[in-house]
Amino acid sequence: MHTQVDLITSLYVFMLAAFIGFEVIRRVSPLLHTPLMSLTNALDAIAVVGAIIIAGERKTNMSTILGTIAIVAATSNIVGGFIITDRMLKMFKPSTKAPKQ
Amino acid sequence: MITGQHLIEITYLIATALFILSLKWLSSPATARRGVWAGEIGMALAIIGTLLYRGIVDYKWVGIALVLGAIIGVPLGNVAMTAVPQRTALSHAFGALCVTLVGTAEFYLRTPDVPRFTMSVLSLEVILGSLTFTGSLMAAGKLQEVLPQRPITYKGQNIVNLGMLAVAIVIAVLLVLDPGRTVLYPVMILIALVFGVMLIIPIGGADMPTVISLLNSYAGLSAAAMGFVLDSKLLIVAGALDGASGFILSVNMSKAMNRSFTNVLFGAFGQVQTSAAAAQEQRAVRSATAEEAAAILSAANRVVVVPGYGMAVAQAQHRVRELYDALTKRGVDVKFGIHPVAGRMPGHMNVLLAEADIPYDKLLDMDDANPDFPQTDVALIIGANDVTNPAARNDPSSPIYGMPILDVDKAHTVMVIKRSMSPGFAGIDNPLYYLDNTLMLFGDAKAFVGGIVRELSGAAAHG
């Protein structure tokens, strides 16, 4: 359960992460906005850790079922998101071609 | 002494750092792939750490779910590049689904003993999650063209939508005051699910870049709210990063469409302006054949290609690459001018052109492309319309007046590949087509560009 201190700490974490997010993502070139979206989407699927705990704790049948479906949804985002981001980034090449291998 | 719980926390801490580095490295194409690896390692660490958690009594369902998710994820990671917008919308739906289900499980596990703050963020989590789930499914359906792409509007739409949202919030407040009212919970979820559908109904294809960014932001915020409920700093950080990313992209897209940000936040976009199209009169346009277009292009020094959604629909990007090759071989300087909202999601055109092996340093964004148009011999527009409409610059009565555009009309010659004279998605006539320096190239984008390429190579063969 939350204590008052935990809550304030969490709010600090959220605030700092939001600032870091703005500063870091502002620097991403519009060239890469599509991979940016698929990458943040994959990272966002870290919600899977919450789902794993819910499903693994087996507290009630309902929580186990909901947690299990949640794991499937999040894992498909992790796997699919990383694969497609890497596929897209592989395609971006500069003009000055490296010598052929 | 380091306990198991500490070990888990340490994996989360490292994962958090790797996630931030992952986005930092994405800022440049040179380091971007390293960013993906950092994200993957962070993700793997966090999952392994979580599996060590002592509270997990049964690994069977967890294991099955992880494998099943991976099996579904592989094809979703290998869709064609043209299907990336709908895949992205679908992944927002999956992310939101996960968050909503976990929030729901938490609610029923903890009720009636939920502290007020926790219940508030839990309500925020599941409302945002539910509306993002159905909203993203709707967006994916429209992009995949299994749902009608035309915006559906009716009188009082905004009032109905805002009313539904208000009811959901009132229920949330009642639940915060007394989390024991479990009967209200499914009602709140149902309203949020319907609200997500209603929110996307009035959205047309051209507004999709803004909507996808906005749903991206909602998905991130709901995950961050889940982090507060579960007291997981890792989730709070990941959600905040995703939310910030979606927010920045939404702001970019709304600026590029000259819509206010409140307009975007309330989802009040997508109104079709039909008045302008009605006033359209028959004016003379000049058209040209592939042969004539090829002659003009090969005589040019500088060419800027402006791609739009029409290029994606016609799958013309590989023909465009052949055109790029043919012209570059003749010493013509070919660049691409890309409007932020060209296509169906942020960066859509860049991905398609990169897939066709066009070097990324030839892809200019709007601010870099615009100063060069007066020195450009030919601006070749392929499947773009509203983002080149000079009325946005000089006709205050135009519905898109004030929207930043690519100043293609300043090029010496403008060539527009277009199927017919029908107005674009927004139903707005484009005065560009009637300018003296504009040549209309009527036909399918892929076939026409292919025709120009044939003319160019044929001319080369004849010397």
Side-chain angles (χ1 to χ4, degrees):
Chain A
M1 279 304 118
H2 270 293
T3 65
Q4 205 63 27
V5 180
D6 281 344
L7 173 59
I8 295 296
T9 316
S10 295
L11 284 170
Y12 269 98
V13 169
F14 179 74
M15 184 192 74
L16 293 173
F19 273 114
I20 293 173
F22 279 115
E23 286 307 311
V24 170
I25 289 155
R26 242 168 17 96
R27 290 179 169 76
V28 177
S29 142
L31 191 68
L32 297 179
H33 275 171
T34 300
L36 168 69
M37 206 181 259
S38 60
L39 181 66
T40 53
N41 199 266
L43 298 183
D44 195 44
I46 189 67
V48 74
V49 299
I52 290 175
I53 290 172
I54 294 274
E57 283 181 334
R58 296 216 72 165
K59 283 188 179 156
T60 63
N61 278 340
M62 182 186 174
S63 70
T64 310
I65 293 169
L66 293 181
T68 304
I69 302 172
I71 296 175
V72 176
T75 312
S76 72
N77 265 3
I78 295 171
V79 174
F82 281 131
I83 291 178
I84 199 148
T85 309
D86 200 48
R87 274 180 62 212
M88 285 192 268
L89 292 175
K90 257 191 275 187
M91 301 179 327
F92 283 91
K93 297 181 203 87
S95 280
T96 44
K97 276 184 189 160
K100 279 185 181 153
Q101 58 271 51
Chain B
M1 186 192 136
I2 295 179
T3 65
Q5 192 58 41
H6 284 134
L7 195 65
I8 297 175
E9 289 298 330
I10 289 169
T11 62
Y12 285 6
L13 188 67
I14 298 172
T16 305
L18 285 170
F19 284 5
I20 293 169
L21 283 173
S22 170
L23 291 176
K24 184 180 146 43
W25 281 329
L26 195 68
S27 61
S28 147
T31 55
R33 289 189 69 198
R34 198 194 304 164
V36 178
W37 298 328
E40 286 169 349
I41 295 168
M43 186 66 71
L45 270 178
I47 291 176
I48 292 168
T50 308
L51 291 173
L52 296 175
Y53 174 60
R54 212 173 296 172
I56 298 180
V57 294
D58 185 356
Y59 284 96
K60 189 177 73 189
W61 288 108
V62 173
I64 292 173
L66 284 172
V67 172
L68 193 60
I71 291 172
I72 299 173
V74 170
L76 282 176
N78 286 303
V79 298
M81 284 301 151
T82 39
V84 163
Q86 46 270 47
R87 194 216 78 92
T88 305
L90 199 61
S91 65
H92 292 156
F94 284 170
L97 176 68
C98 169
V99 165
T100 309
L101 294 178
V102 172
T104 303
E106 279 288 313
F107 173 77
Y108 283 105
L109 285 176
R110 293 201 198 174
T111 182
D113 192 23
V114 194
R116 282 191 178 167
F117 177 78
T118 307
M119 192 60 223
S120 311
V121 277
L122 200 152
S123 304
L124 180 72
E125 173 193 339
V126 296
I127 290 178
L128 274 178
S130 307
L131 73 88
T132 306
F133 175 60
T134 49
S136 298
L137 283 182
M138 289 286 294
K142 285 193 173 199
L143 288 165
Q144 184 66 34
E145 298 180 14
V146 292
L147 292 174
Q149 289 187 286
R150 280 199 60 79
I152 299 164
T153 51
Y154 55 89
K155 227 180 153 189
Q157 193 160 29
N158 279 333
I159 295 165
V160 171
N161 286 355
L162 287 175
M164 282 175 50
L165 190 60
V167 173
I169 290 169
V170 168
I171 295 178
V173 171
L174 290 175
L175 279 168
V176 169
L177 294 176
D178 178 8
R181 298 173 175 136
T182 47
V183 66
L184 287 177
Y185 185 86
V187 181
M188 179 174 79
I189 296 288
L190 191 69
I191 293 176
L193 289 172
V194 177
F195 178 75
V197 176
M198 304 299 262
L199 195 66
I200 305 304
I201 279 180
I203 307 297
D207 284 325
M208 276 302 165
T210 324
V211 175
I212 289 194
S213 309
L214 199 61
L215 291 168
N216 184 165
S217 186
Y218 289 166
L221 285 178
S222 64
M226 176 173 161
F228 278 97
V229 173
L230 300 178
D231 194 21
S232 162
K233 311 276 187 293
L234 170 61
L235 251 176
I236 293 176
V237 172
L241 293 175
D242 193 29
S245 163
F247 183 82
I248 289 176
L249 293 175
S250 313
V251 171
N252 278 356
M253 295 301 114
S254 58
K255 271 190 194 152
M257 297 193 83
N258 194 36
R259 293 176 191 276
S260 76
F261 194 62
T262 36
N263 187 314
V264 174
L265 262 186
F266 289 98
F269 24 50
Q271 299 96 334
V272 215
Q273 295 91 357
T274 43
S275 55
Q280 187 184 344
E281 76 224 58
Q282 290 295 320
R283 277 182 286 175
V285 297
R286 296 195 302 148
S287 68
T289 63
E291 193 182 352
E292 289 158 342
I296 295 169
L297 282 169
S298 57
N301 288 318
R302 283 180 54 99
V303 172
V304 175
V305 179
V306 175
Y309 183 58
M311 183 189 80
V313 172
Q315 303 268 352
Q317 63 269 29
H318 297 283
R319 291 284 174 279
V320 171
R321 157 79 204 198
E322 289 167 15
L323 179 65
Y324 167 84
D325 282 342
L327 289 173
T328 307
K329 215 159 50 182
R330 289 163 175 259
V332 183
D333 175 30
V334 184
K335 290 211 166 67
F336 294 79
I338 296 171
H339 194 277
V341 297
R344 286 295 181 260
M345 72 179 292
H348 191 182
M349 291 298 126
N350 297 303
V351 168
L352 291 181
L353 292 171
E355 186 200 13
D357 273 336
I358 289 168
Y360 64 75
D361 46 83
K362 301 292 179 190
L363 311 178
L364 307 178
D365 60 27
M366 181 169 59
D367 294 336
D368 291 332
N370 269 344
D372 290 343
F373 278 113
Q375 293 89 46
T376 297
D377 299 302
V378 181
L380 175 63
I381 299 161
I382 305 175
N385 187 349
D386 295 335
V387 298
T388 63
N389 191 336
R393 219 173 45 224
N394 51 32
D395 177 9
S397 70
S398 170
I400 57 167
Y401 180 69
M403 172 173 149
I405 56 157
L406 286 159
D407 298 327
V408 291
D409 54 314
K410 294 185 178 163
H412 299 168
T413 305
V414 184
M415 294 202 273
V416 183
I417 302 183
K418 207 171 177 314
R419 280 183 172 280
S420 68
M421 281 308 288
S422 66
F425 178 82
I428 304 159
D429 195 24
N430 193 341
L432 177 72
Y433 304 154
Y434 311 106
L435 295 178
D436 289 338
N437 59 343
T438 300
L439 284 173
M440 299 302 292
L441 312 176
F442 291 112
D444 172 72
K446 190 176 180 178
F448 209 106
V449 175
I452 298 177
V453 172
R454 265 194 308 279
E455 291 295 336
L456 284 172
S457 50
H462 296 301

